[in-house]
Amino acid sequence: GQQLNQSPQSMFIQEGEDVSMNCTSSSIFNTWLWYKQDPGEGPVLLIALYKAGELTSNGRLTAQFGITRKDSFLNISASIPSDVGIYFCAGLQIGSQGNLIFGKGTKLSVKP
Amino acid sequence: DVKVTQSSRYLVKRTGEKVFLECVQDMDHENMFWYRQDPGLGLRLIYFSYDVKMKEKGDIPEGYSVSREKKERFSLILESASTNQTSMYLCASSIRADLILSYEQYFGPGTRLTVT
């Protein structure tokens, strides 16, 4: 079945640094979503991407839908302590009515 | 704002007990989903439903059942809880994909279930 590989698994960065993470797949996806999960909470949707090549921003966050439709990237600029959490990518399962396939997450730690 | 609520944030049950986890969404979404989340394994889909009284198995349905009697409510049932069902359970909802180009799922806060 379709699978997503998300990297890196974890990151330890200094406050103010930029962050980059990505998801790749051997299969094509038509939709990419990025979520953030705070400790003990449910994931919250950050950005949704629907077209290959699309670049979308949400404040300090920018995500891109890869041209090949097999990858997506999330960048966070000028990180702050509240950026701490787990970031998940998700792709729409082909042929489904809305089932998403999730990456295993990138755990971000920010040192003040 | 979309609101998905789950009946409990924390739950402790004994092995063999029947456990009910309730999820309610207030956005009139057609689709509802139950996931479990475990360290290193990410989110795994247990069951989903695209309409009232309709249910489909996800990737790990064994040991679980679901009920969707009303559009806004989706219940996950552990018929006989076991220790390997200790996990974080997440409910999500989304609008029907053919109505609008939107596959965005909105999650509840999660229920952390411990089975002893």
Side-chain angles (χ1 to χ4, degrees), chain A residues 30-31 33 35 37 40-45 48 50 86 88 92-93 96-100 102-104, chain B residues 9 31 33 35 37 40-43 45 48 50 88 90 97 101-110:
Chain A
N30 293 325
T31 298
L33 305 173
Y35 288 86
Q37 185 177 26
E41 300 292 332
V44 173
L45 182 66
Y50 291 101
I86 302 177
F88 292 97
L92 176 69
Q93 194 168 8
S96 80
Q97 295 184 49
N99 287 22
L100 298 176
F102 287 85
K104 288 191 165 51
Chain B
R9 295 298 301 272
N31 302 339
F33 307 84
Y35 298 88
Q37 182 178 27
L41 297 178
L43 277 74
L45 182 63
F48 59 97
Y50 290 145
M88 172 75 135
L90 291 162
L101 183 61
S102 169
Y103 304 100
E104 300 160 15
Q105 290 185 16
Y106 296 89
F107 285 84

mmCIF file of all heavy atoms in Angstrom, chain A residues 30-31 33 35 37 40-45 48 50 86 88 92-93 96-100 102-104, chain B residues 9 31 33 35 37 40-43 45 48 50 88 90 97 101-110:
data_model
loop_
_atom_site.group_PDB
_atom_site.id
_atom_site.type_symbol
_atom_site.label_atom_id
_atom_site.label_comp_id
_atom_site.label_asym_id
_atom_site.label_seq_id
_atom_site.Cartn_x
_atom_site.Cartn_y
_atom_site.Cartn_z
ATOM 1 N N ASN A 30 -2.433 13.217 -4.456
ATOM 2 C CA ASN A 30 -3.120 14.379 -5.022
ATOM 3 C C ASN A 30 -3.312 15.497 -4.023
ATOM 4 O O ASN A 30 -3.702 16.601 -4.386
ATOM 5 C CB ASN A 30 -4.477 13.956 -5.573
ATOM 6 C CG ASN A 30 -4.326 13.048 -6.782
ATOM 7 O OD1 ASN A 30 -3.404 13.211 -7.577
ATOM 8 N ND2 ASN A 30 -5.215 12.086 -6.922
ATOM 9 N N THR A 31 -3.097 15.189 -2.766
ATOM 10 C CA THR A 31 -3.278 16.169 -1.705
ATOM 11 C C THR A 31 -2.229 15.922 -0.633
ATOM 12 O O THR A 31 -1.967 14.767 -0.283
ATOM 13 C CB THR A 31 -4.681 16.029 -1.066
ATOM 14 O OG1 THR A 31 -5.678 16.293 -2.043
ATOM 15 C CG2 THR A 31 -4.848 16.982 0.108
ATOM 16 N N LEU A 33 -1.168 17.339 3.324
ATOM 17 C CA LEU A 33 -1.553 18.148 4.481
ATOM 18 C C LEU A 33 -0.430 18.105 5.504
ATOM 19 O O LEU A 33 0.274 17.089 5.624
ATOM 20 C CB LEU A 33 -2.844 17.597 5.114
ATOM 21 C CG LEU A 33 -4.061 17.431 4.210
ATOM 22 C CD1 LEU A 33 -5.178 16.723 4.944
ATOM 23 C CD2 LEU A 33 -4.538 18.773 3.696
ATOM 24 N N TYR A 35 0.243 18.792 9.667
ATOM 25 C CA TYR A 35 -0.362 18.967 10.977
ATOM 26 C C TYR A 35 0.722 19.176 12.023
ATOM 27 O O TYR A 35 1.852 18.708 11.880
ATOM 28 C CB TYR A 35 -1.141 17.705 11.382
ATOM 29 C CG TYR A 35 -2.431 17.455 10.646
ATOM 30 C CD1 TYR A 35 -2.436 16.775 9.429
ATOM 31 C CD2 TYR A 35 -3.645 17.887 11.160
ATOM 32 C CE1 TYR A 35 -3.622 16.528 8.757
ATOM 33 C CE2 TYR A 35 -4.847 17.641 10.504
ATOM 34 C CZ TYR A 35 -4.822 16.965 9.298
ATOM 35 O OH TYR A 35 -6.003 16.720 8.640
ATOM 36 N N GLN A 37 1.131 18.617 16.318
ATOM 37 C CA GLN A 37 0.532 18.060 17.521
ATOM 38 C C GLN A 37 1.325 18.499 18.743
ATOM 39 O O GLN A 37 2.515 18.204 18.859
ATOM 40 C CB GLN A 37 0.489 16.530 17.445
ATOM 41 C CG GLN A 37 -0.228 15.879 18.605
ATOM 42 C CD GLN A 37 -0.326 14.377 18.468
ATOM 43 O OE1 GLN A 37 0.499 13.751 17.814
ATOM 44 N NE2 GLN A 37 -1.334 13.776 19.062
ATOM 45 N N GLY A 40 0.074 15.809 24.349
ATOM 46 C CA GLY A 40 -1.200 15.520 25.004
ATOM 47 C C GLY A 40 -2.427 16.045 24.289
ATOM 48 O O GLY A 40 -3.535 15.965 24.819
ATOM 49 N N GLU A 41 -2.245 16.565 23.070
ATOM 50 C CA GLU A 41 -3.367 17.123 22.319
ATOM 51 C C GLU A 41 -3.529 16.403 20.984
ATOM 52 O O GLU A 41 -2.663 15.641 20.576
ATOM 53 C CB GLU A 41 -3.144 18.612 22.065
ATOM 54 C CG GLU A 41 -3.012 19.454 23.327
ATOM 55 C CD GLU A 41 -4.313 19.533 24.113
ATOM 56 O OE1 GLU A 41 -5.388 19.426 23.493
ATOM 57 O OE2 GLU A 41 -4.236 19.677 25.352
ATOM 58 N N GLY A 42 -4.631 16.692 20.291
ATOM 59 C CA GLY A 42 -4.816 16.145 18.958
ATOM 60 C C GLY A 42 -4.091 16.985 17.921
ATOM 61 O O GLY A 42 -3.784 18.155 18.155
ATOM 62 N N PRO A 43 -3.792 16.414 16.747
ATOM 63 C CA PRO A 43 -3.139 17.187 15.675
ATOM 64 C C PRO A 43 -4.023 18.341 15.209
ATOM 65 O O PRO A 43 -5.236 18.210 15.141
ATOM 66 C CB PRO A 43 -2.953 16.152 14.562
ATOM 67 C CG PRO A 43 -3.000 14.827 15.251
ATOM 68 C CD PRO A 43 -3.959 15.005 16.386
ATOM 69 N N VAL A 44 -3.365 19.431 14.872
ATOM 70 C CA VAL A 44 -4.049 20.612 14.352
ATOM 71 C C VAL A 44 -3.549 20.872 12.943
ATOM 72 O O VAL A 44 -2.338 20.868 12.698
ATOM 73 C CB VAL A 44 -3.781 21.837 15.251
ATOM 74 C CG1 VAL A 44 -4.357 23.096 14.623
ATOM 75 C CG2 VAL A 44 -4.370 21.619 16.636
ATOM 76 N N LEU A 45 -4.465 21.099 12.019
ATOM 77 C CA LEU A 45 -4.096 21.328 10.630
ATOM 78 C C LEU A 45 -3.378 22.660 10.478
ATOM 79 O O LEU A 45 -3.844 23.698 10.956
ATOM 80 C CB LEU A 45 -5.349 21.319 9.751
ATOM 81 C CG LEU A 45 -5.118 21.510 8.258
ATOM 82 C CD1 LEU A 45 -4.348 20.328 7.682
ATOM 83 C CD2 LEU A 45 -6.457 21.679 7.526
ATOM 84 N N ALA A 48 -2.781 23.007 3.918
ATOM 85 C CA ALA A 48 -3.287 22.022 2.968
ATOM 86 C C ALA A 48 -2.820 22.403 1.564
ATOM 87 O O ALA A 48 -2.861 23.579 1.189
ATOM 88 C CB ALA A 48 -4.812 21.972 3.006
ATOM 89 N N TYR A 50 -3.066 21.312 -2.641
ATOM 90 C CA TYR A 50 -3.911 20.545 -3.554
ATOM 91 C C TYR A 50 -3.390 20.466 -4.980
ATOM 92 O O TYR A 50 -3.950 19.736 -5.795
ATOM 93 C CB TYR A 50 -5.324 21.117 -3.558
ATOM 94 C CG TYR A 50 -6.052 20.874 -2.265
ATOM 95 C CD1 TYR A 50 -6.172 21.882 -1.308
ATOM 96 C CD2 TYR A 50 -6.593 19.628 -1.975
ATOM 97 C CE1 TYR A 50 -6.830 21.642 -0.110
ATOM 98 C CE2 TYR A 50 -7.248 19.383 -0.786
ATOM 99 C CZ TYR A 50 -7.362 20.389 0.138
ATOM 100 O OH TYR A 50 -8.005 20.144 1.315
ATOM 101 N N ILE A 86 5.152 17.793 17.573
ATOM 102 C CA ILE A 86 5.381 16.807 16.520
ATOM 103 C C ILE A 86 4.647 17.263 15.267
ATOM 104 O O ILE A 86 3.455 17.591 15.328
ATOM 105 C CB ILE A 86 4.894 15.408 16.935
ATOM 106 C CG1 ILE A 86 5.590 14.960 18.221
ATOM 107 C CG2 ILE A 86 5.169 14.401 15.819
ATOM 108 C CD1 ILE A 86 5.117 13.613 18.737
ATOM 109 N N PHE A 88 3.333 16.345 11.497
ATOM 110 C CA PHE A 88 2.983 15.210 10.652
ATOM 111 C C PHE A 88 2.648 15.685 9.247
ATOM 112 O O PHE A 88 1.953 16.681 9.080
ATOM 113 C CB PHE A 88 1.733 14.493 11.179
ATOM 114 C CG PHE A 88 1.928 13.778 12.479
ATOM 115 C CD1 PHE A 88 1.570 14.368 13.681
ATOM 116 C CD2 PHE A 88 2.459 12.498 12.502
ATOM 117 C CE1 PHE A 88 1.736 13.712 14.883
ATOM 118 C CE2 PHE A 88 2.628 11.829 13.707
ATOM 119 C CZ PHE A 88 2.271 12.442 14.892
ATOM 120 N N LEU A 92 -3.474 12.163 0.742
ATOM 121 C CA LEU A 92 -4.765 11.533 0.478
ATOM 122 C C LEU A 92 -4.557 10.207 -0.222
ATOM 123 O O LEU A 92 -3.864 10.144 -1.251
ATOM 124 C CB LEU A 92 -5.613 12.429 -0.410
ATOM 125 C CG LEU A 92 -6.959 11.829 -0.839
ATOM 126 C CD1 LEU A 92 -7.880 11.730 0.371
ATOM 127 C CD2 LEU A 92 -7.599 12.643 -1.940
ATOM 128 N N GLN A 93 -5.130 9.156 0.322
ATOM 129 C CA GLN A 93 -5.016 7.830 -0.273
ATOM 130 C C GLN A 93 -5.782 7.796 -1.591
ATOM 131 O O GLN A 93 -6.967 8.129 -1.641
ATOM 132 C CB GLN A 93 -5.577 6.791 0.688
ATOM 133 C CG GLN A 93 -5.237 5.367 0.349
ATOM 134 C CD GLN A 93 -5.565 4.410 1.488
ATOM 135 O OE1 GLN A 93 -6.175 4.789 2.477
ATOM 136 N NE2 GLN A 93 -5.169 3.174 1.344
ATOM 137 N N SER A 96 -9.655 6.758 -2.394
ATOM 138 C CA SER A 96 -10.467 6.807 -1.176
ATOM 139 C C SER A 96 -11.397 8.020 -1.220
ATOM 140 O O SER A 96 -11.225 8.924 -2.039
ATOM 141 C CB SER A 96 -9.587 6.869 0.065
ATOM 142 O OG SER A 96 -9.120 8.186 0.278
ATOM 143 N N GLN A 97 -12.350 8.028 -0.316
ATOM 144 C CA GLN A 97 -13.262 9.167 -0.221
ATOM 145 C C GLN A 97 -12.792 10.180 0.803
ATOM 146 O O GLN A 97 -13.523 11.104 1.139
ATOM 147 C CB GLN A 97 -14.654 8.664 0.174
ATOM 148 C CG GLN A 97 -15.306 7.768 -0.864
ATOM 149 C CD GLN A 97 -16.708 7.378 -0.454
ATOM 150 O OE1 GLN A 97 -17.507 8.223 -0.076
ATOM 151 N NE2 GLN A 97 -17.021 6.098 -0.523
ATOM 152 N N GLY A 98 -11.579 10.000 1.296
ATOM 153 C CA GLY A 98 -11.083 10.943 2.284
ATOM 154 C C GLY A 98 -10.106 10.345 3.267
ATOM 155 O O GLY A 98 -9.730 10.994 4.236
ATOM 156 N N ASN A 99 -9.684 9.096 3.041
ATOM 157 C CA ASN A 99 -8.711 8.493 3.956
ATOM 158 C C ASN A 99 -7.328 9.085 3.736
ATOM 159 O O ASN A 99 -6.869 9.201 2.597
ATOM 160 C CB ASN A 99 -8.641 6.984 3.729
ATOM 161 C CG ASN A 99 -9.859 6.285 4.262
ATOM 162 O OD1 ASN A 99 -10.903 6.889 4.426
ATOM 163 N ND2 ASN A 99 -9.731 5.001 4.514
ATOM 164 N N LEU A 100 -6.687 9.456 4.825
ATOM 165 C CA LEU A 100 -5.342 10.010 4.764
ATOM 166 C C LEU A 100 -4.320 8.975 5.214
ATOM 167 O O LEU A 100 -4.597 8.151 6.079
ATOM 168 C CB LEU A 100 -5.227 11.245 5.656
ATOM 169 C CG LEU A 100 -6.116 12.438 5.313
ATOM 170 C CD1 LEU A 100 -5.938 13.538 6.356
ATOM 171 C CD2 LEU A 100 -5.800 12.959 3.923
ATOM 172 N N PHE A 102 -0.596 8.900 6.977
ATOM 173 C CA PHE A 102 0.216 9.813 7.760
ATOM 174 C C PHE A 102 1.666 9.370 7.797
ATOM 175 O O PHE A 102 1.972 8.173 7.858
ATOM 176 C CB PHE A 102 -0.302 9.896 9.197
ATOM 177 C CG PHE A 102 -1.578 10.663 9.329
ATOM 178 C CD1 PHE A 102 -2.805 10.045 9.119
ATOM 179 C CD2 PHE A 102 -1.566 12.007 9.651
ATOM 180 C CE1 PHE A 102 -3.987 10.752 9.225
ATOM 181 C CE2 PHE A 102 -2.745 12.724 9.761
ATOM 182 C CZ PHE A 102 -3.955 12.101 9.549
ATOM 183 N N GLY A 103 2.573 10.366 7.779
ATOM 184 C CA GLY A 103 3.955 10.079 8.099
ATOM 185 C C GLY A 103 4.073 9.832 9.592
ATOM 186 O O GLY A 103 3.131 10.073 10.352
ATOM 187 N N LYS A 104 5.243 9.350 10.031
ATOM 188 C CA LYS A 104 5.422 9.016 11.439
ATOM 189 C C LYS A 104 5.785 10.226 12.297
ATOM 190 O O LYS A 104 5.891 10.112 13.517
ATOM 191 C CB LYS A 104 6.458 7.914 11.595
ATOM 192 C CG LYS A 104 5.940 6.561 11.138
ATOM 193 C CD LYS A 104 6.863 5.437 11.530
ATOM 194 C CE LYS A 104 6.205 4.079 11.402
ATOM 195 N NZ LYS A 104 5.568 3.808 10.124
ATOM 196 N N ARG B 9 -10.643 12.699 28.391
ATOM 197 C CA ARG B 9 -9.245 12.927 28.058
ATOM 198 C C ARG B 9 -8.359 11.785 28.557
ATOM 199 O O ARG B 9 -7.386 11.423 27.913
ATOM 200 C CB ARG B 9 -8.749 14.245 28.673
ATOM 201 C CG ARG B 9 -9.413 15.486 28.122
ATOM 202 C CD ARG B 9 -9.159 15.664 26.627
ATOM 203 N NE ARG B 9 -7.762 15.764 26.293
ATOM 204 C CZ ARG B 9 -7.077 16.906 26.279
ATOM 205 N NH1 ARG B 9 -7.660 18.043 26.574
ATOM 206 N NH2 ARG B 9 -5.802 16.904 25.933
ATOM 207 N N ASN B 31 -17.851 12.498 7.026
ATOM 208 C CA ASN B 31 -16.826 11.492 7.322
ATOM 209 C C ASN B 31 -16.348 11.591 8.763
ATOM 210 O O ASN B 31 -16.091 12.684 9.270
ATOM 211 C CB ASN B 31 -15.606 11.691 6.411
ATOM 212 C CG ASN B 31 -15.936 11.625 4.935
ATOM 213 O OD1 ASN B 31 -16.956 11.064 4.547
ATOM 214 N ND2 ASN B 31 -15.076 12.187 4.115
ATOM 215 N N PHE B 33 -13.600 9.399 11.628
ATOM 216 C CA PHE B 33 -12.492 8.440 11.679
ATOM 217 C C PHE B 33 -12.062 8.199 13.117
ATOM 218 O O PHE B 33 -12.109 9.104 13.948
ATOM 219 C CB PHE B 33 -11.271 8.997 10.920
ATOM 220 C CG PHE B 33 -11.555 9.441 9.512
ATOM 221 C CD1 PHE B 33 -12.065 10.699 9.247
ATOM 222 C CD2 PHE B 33 -11.290 8.593 8.438
ATOM 223 C CE1 PHE B 33 -12.327 11.115 7.944
ATOM 224 C CE2 PHE B 33 -11.539 9.001 7.134
ATOM 225 C CZ PHE B 33 -12.060 10.260 6.887
ATOM 226 N N TYR B 35 -8.556 6.770 15.080
ATOM 227 C CA TYR B 35 -7.156 6.368 14.983
ATOM 228 C C TYR B 35 -6.641 6.008 16.369
ATOM 229 O O TYR B 35 -7.152 6.484 17.374
ATOM 230 C CB TYR B 35 -6.275 7.528 14.489
ATOM 231 C CG TYR B 35 -6.565 8.056 13.114
ATOM 232 C CD1 TYR B 35 -7.503 9.059 12.900
ATOM 233 C CD2 TYR B 35 -5.851 7.574 12.010
ATOM 234 C CE1 TYR B 35 -7.742 9.568 11.628
ATOM 235 C CE2 TYR B 35 -6.078 8.079 10.738
ATOM 236 C CZ TYR B 35 -7.028 9.073 10.563
ATOM 237 O OH TYR B 35 -7.251 9.563 9.303
ATOM 238 N N GLN B 37 -2.757 6.144 18.316
ATOM 239 C CA GLN B 37 -1.419 6.687 18.125
ATOM 240 C C GLN B 37 -0.493 6.096 19.172
ATOM 241 O O GLN B 37 -0.747 6.200 20.379
ATOM 242 C CB GLN B 37 -1.448 8.221 18.258
ATOM 243 C CG GLN B 37 -0.107 8.873 18.016
ATOM 244 C CD GLN B 37 -0.175 10.385 18.104
ATOM 245 O OE1 GLN B 37 -1.027 10.939 18.792
ATOM 246 N NE2 GLN B 37 0.722 11.063 17.407
ATOM 247 N N GLY B 40 6.439 5.830 17.847
ATOM 248 C CA GLY B 40 7.175 5.120 16.810
ATOM 249 C C GLY B 40 6.310 4.518 15.718
ATOM 250 O O GLY B 40 6.833 4.094 14.684
ATOM 251 N N LEU B 41 4.988 4.469 15.944
ATOM 252 C CA LEU B 41 4.096 3.854 14.952
ATOM 253 C C LEU B 41 3.207 4.875 14.269
ATOM 254 O O LEU B 41 2.503 4.550 13.307
ATOM 255 C CB LEU B 41 3.227 2.783 15.613
ATOM 256 C CG LEU B 41 3.982 1.590 16.203
ATOM 257 C CD1 LEU B 41 3.012 0.633 16.875
ATOM 258 C CD2 LEU B 41 4.779 0.851 15.128
ATOM 259 N N GLY B 42 3.208 6.095 14.750
ATOM 260 C CA GLY B 42 2.387 7.120 14.119
ATOM 261 C C GLY B 42 0.903 6.897 14.341
ATOM 262 O O GLY B 42 0.484 6.233 15.291
ATOM 263 N N LEU B 43 0.100 7.447 13.446
ATOM 264 C CA LEU B 43 -1.360 7.309 13.522
ATOM 265 C C LEU B 43 -1.797 6.121 12.668
ATOM 266 O O LEU B 43 -1.437 6.035 11.493
ATOM 267 C CB LEU B 43 -2.058 8.569 12.994
ATOM 268 C CG LEU B 43 -2.217 9.738 13.961
ATOM 269 C CD1 LEU B 43 -0.907 10.444 14.181
ATOM 270 C CD2 LEU B 43 -3.259 10.707 13.441
ATOM 271 N N LEU B 45 -5.169 3.912 11.374
ATOM 272 C CA LEU B 45 -6.613 4.010 11.224
ATOM 273 C C LEU B 45 -7.285 2.722 11.693
ATOM 274 O O LEU B 45 -6.961 1.631 11.214
ATOM 275 C CB LEU B 45 -6.955 4.278 9.754
ATOM 276 C CG LEU B 45 -8.413 4.469 9.406
ATOM 277 C CD1 LEU B 45 -8.992 5.695 10.106
ATOM 278 C CD2 LEU B 45 -8.576 4.607 7.882
ATOM 279 N N PHE B 48 -13.523 3.811 9.989
ATOM 280 C CA PHE B 48 -14.031 5.075 9.512
ATOM 281 C C PHE B 48 -15.469 4.908 9.032
ATOM 282 O O PHE B 48 -15.960 3.783 8.839
ATOM 283 C CB PHE B 48 -13.139 5.674 8.426
ATOM 284 C CG PHE B 48 -12.952 4.811 7.208
ATOM 285 C CD1 PHE B 48 -13.723 5.002 6.067
ATOM 286 C CD2 PHE B 48 -11.987 3.812 7.183
ATOM 287 C CE1 PHE B 48 -13.543 4.226 4.940
ATOM 288 C CE2 PHE B 48 -11.790 3.029 6.055
ATOM 289 C CZ PHE B 48 -12.563 3.237 4.932
ATOM 290 N N TYR B 50 -18.405 6.950 6.386
ATOM 291 C CA TYR B 50 -18.715 8.016 5.444
ATOM 292 C C TYR B 50 -20.165 8.460 5.539
ATOM 293 O O TYR B 50 -20.586 9.368 4.821
ATOM 294 C CB TYR B 50 -18.427 7.575 4.007
ATOM 295 C CG TYR B 50 -16.960 7.419 3.708
ATOM 296 C CD1 TYR B 50 -16.522 6.419 2.837
ATOM 297 C CD2 TYR B 50 -16.009 8.248 4.279
ATOM 298 C CE1 TYR B 50 -15.169 6.273 2.557
ATOM 299 C CE2 TYR B 50 -14.665 8.099 4.006
ATOM 300 C CZ TYR B 50 -14.248 7.110 3.139
ATOM 301 O OH TYR B 50 -12.916 6.966 2.871
ATOM 302 N N MET B 88 -3.176 6.202 22.831
ATOM 303 C CA MET B 88 -3.888 7.465 22.630
ATOM 304 C C MET B 88 -4.854 7.246 21.467
ATOM 305 O O MET B 88 -4.439 6.810 20.388
ATOM 306 C CB MET B 88 -2.884 8.572 22.288
ATOM 307 C CG MET B 88 -3.521 9.886 21.874
ATOM 308 S SD MET B 88 -4.210 10.771 23.256
ATOM 309 C CE MET B 88 -3.617 12.434 22.929
ATOM 310 N N LEU B 90 -7.569 8.898 18.875
ATOM 311 C CA LEU B 90 -7.911 10.175 18.260
ATOM 312 C C LEU B 90 -9.083 10.000 17.305
ATOM 313 O O LEU B 90 -9.086 9.088 16.485
ATOM 314 C CB LEU B 90 -6.718 10.735 17.488
ATOM 315 C CG LEU B 90 -5.530 11.198 18.335
ATOM 316 C CD1 LEU B 90 -4.279 11.311 17.492
ATOM 317 C CD2 LEU B 90 -5.832 12.523 18.998
ATOM 318 N N ALA B 97 -15.650 14.333 0.433
ATOM 319 C CA ALA B 97 -14.668 14.855 -0.520
ATOM 320 C C ALA B 97 -15.285 15.225 -1.859
ATOM 321 O O ALA B 97 -14.766 16.075 -2.568
ATOM 322 C CB ALA B 97 -13.549 13.849 -0.716
ATOM 323 N N LEU B 101 -13.614 20.290 -2.814
ATOM 324 C CA LEU B 101 -12.256 19.762 -2.875
ATOM 325 C C LEU B 101 -11.564 20.014 -1.548
ATOM 326 O O LEU B 101 -10.821 20.960 -1.371
ATOM 327 C CB LEU B 101 -11.477 20.430 -4.014
ATOM 328 C CG LEU B 101 -10.050 19.915 -4.222
ATOM 329 C CD1 LEU B 101 -10.067 18.430 -4.572
ATOM 330 C CD2 LEU B 101 -9.361 20.707 -5.314
ATOM 331 N N SER B 102 -11.841 19.161 -0.595
ATOM 332 C CA SER B 102 -11.264 19.340 0.732
ATOM 333 C C SER B 102 -11.157 17.991 1.401
ATOM 334 O O SER B 102 -12.162 17.319 1.599
ATOM 335 C CB SER B 102 -12.121 20.271 1.579
ATOM 336 O OG SER B 102 -11.698 20.248 2.929
ATOM 337 N N TYR B 103 -9.949 17.587 1.714
ATOM 338 C CA TYR B 103 -9.738 16.327 2.402
ATOM 339 C C TYR B 103 -9.202 16.567 3.800
ATOM 340 O O TYR B 103 -8.646 15.683 4.421
ATOM 341 C CB TYR B 103 -8.750 15.469 1.599
ATOM 342 C CG TYR B 103 -9.221 15.260 0.178
ATOM 343 C CD1 TYR B 103 -8.709 16.018 -0.866
ATOM 344 C CD2 TYR B 103 -10.191 14.320 -0.112
ATOM 345 C CE1 TYR B 103 -9.152 15.831 -2.165
ATOM 346 C CE2 TYR B 103 -10.632 14.128 -1.404
ATOM 347 C CZ TYR B 103 -10.106 14.890 -2.426
ATOM 348 O OH TYR B 103 -10.542 14.700 -3.710
ATOM 349 N N GLU B 104 -9.421 17.745 4.295
ATOM 350 C CA GLU B 104 -8.843 18.130 5.572
ATOM 351 C C GLU B 104 -9.602 17.462 6.701
ATOM 352 O O GLU B 104 -10.818 17.620 6.835
ATOM 353 C CB GLU B 104 -8.902 19.651 5.712
ATOM 354 C CG GLU B 104 -8.137 20.358 4.613
ATOM 355 C CD GLU B 104 -8.545 21.797 4.422
ATOM 356 O OE1 GLU B 104 -9.228 22.342 5.310
ATOM 357 O OE2 GLU B 104 -8.198 22.382 3.383
ATOM 358 N N GLN B 105 -8.868 16.727 7.512
ATOM 359 C CA GLN B 105 -9.463 16.100 8.680
ATOM 360 C C GLN B 105 -9.176 16.962 9.898
ATOM 361 O O GLN B 105 -8.073 17.479 10.066
ATOM 362 C CB GLN B 105 -8.896 14.697 8.893
ATOM 363 C CG GLN B 105 -9.354 13.702 7.841
ATOM 364 C CD GLN B 105 -8.883 12.303 8.117
ATOM 365 O OE1 GLN B 105 -8.463 11.954 9.214
ATOM 366 N NE2 GLN B 105 -8.956 11.455 7.090
ATOM 367 N N TYR B 106 -10.186 17.080 10.757
ATOM 368 C CA TYR B 106 -10.072 17.859 11.980
ATOM 369 C C TYR B 106 -10.161 16.902 13.166
ATOM 370 O O TYR B 106 -11.076 16.084 13.233
ATOM 371 C CB TYR B 106 -11.162 18.926 12.034
ATOM 372 C CG TYR B 106 -11.007 19.929 10.933
ATOM 373 C CD1 TYR B 106 -11.604 19.724 9.692
ATOM 374 C CD2 TYR B 106 -10.230 21.065 11.108
ATOM 375 C CE1 TYR B 106 -11.434 20.627 8.662
ATOM 376 C CE2 TYR B 106 -10.059 21.981 10.085
ATOM 377 C CZ TYR B 106 -10.664 21.752 8.861
ATOM 378 O OH TYR B 106 -10.468 22.639 7.845
ATOM 379 N N PHE B 107 -9.219 17.035 14.070
ATOM 380 C CA PHE B 107 -9.070 16.075 15.154
ATOM 381 C C PHE B 107 -9.620 16.584 16.479
ATOM 382 O O PHE B 107 -9.614 17.781 16.757
ATOM 383 C CB PHE B 107 -7.584 15.747 15.363
ATOM 384 C CG PHE B 107 -7.013 14.842 14.308
ATOM 385 C CD1 PHE B 107 -6.557 15.359 13.103
ATOM 386 C CD2 PHE B 107 -6.954 13.475 14.519
ATOM 387 C CE1 PHE B 107 -6.040 14.519 12.127
ATOM 388 C CE2 PHE B 107 -6.432 12.629 13.552
ATOM 389 C CZ PHE B 107 -5.977 13.164 12.355
ATOM 390 N N GLY B 108 -10.073 15.628 17.289
ATOM 391 C CA GLY B 108 -10.388 15.925 18.675
ATOM 392 C C GLY B 108 -9.125 15.940 19.514
ATOM 393 O O GLY B 108 -8.031 15.680 19.004
ATOM 394 N N PRO B 109 -9.254 16.215 20.816
ATOM 395 C CA PRO B 109 -8.084 16.331 21.685
ATOM 396 C C PRO B 109 -7.460 15.001 22.078
ATOM 397 O O PRO B 109 -6.356 14.966 22.613
ATOM 398 C CB PRO B 109 -8.639 17.042 22.922
ATOM 399 C CG PRO B 109 -10.074 16.678 22.948
ATOM 400 C CD PRO B 109 -10.501 16.563 21.518
ATOM 401 N N GLY B 110 -8.164 13.908 21.804
ATOM 402 C CA GLY B 110 -7.619 12.595 22.120
ATOM 403 C C GLY B 110 -8.070 12.072 23.471
ATOM 404 O O GLY B 110 -8.403 12.834 24.387
#
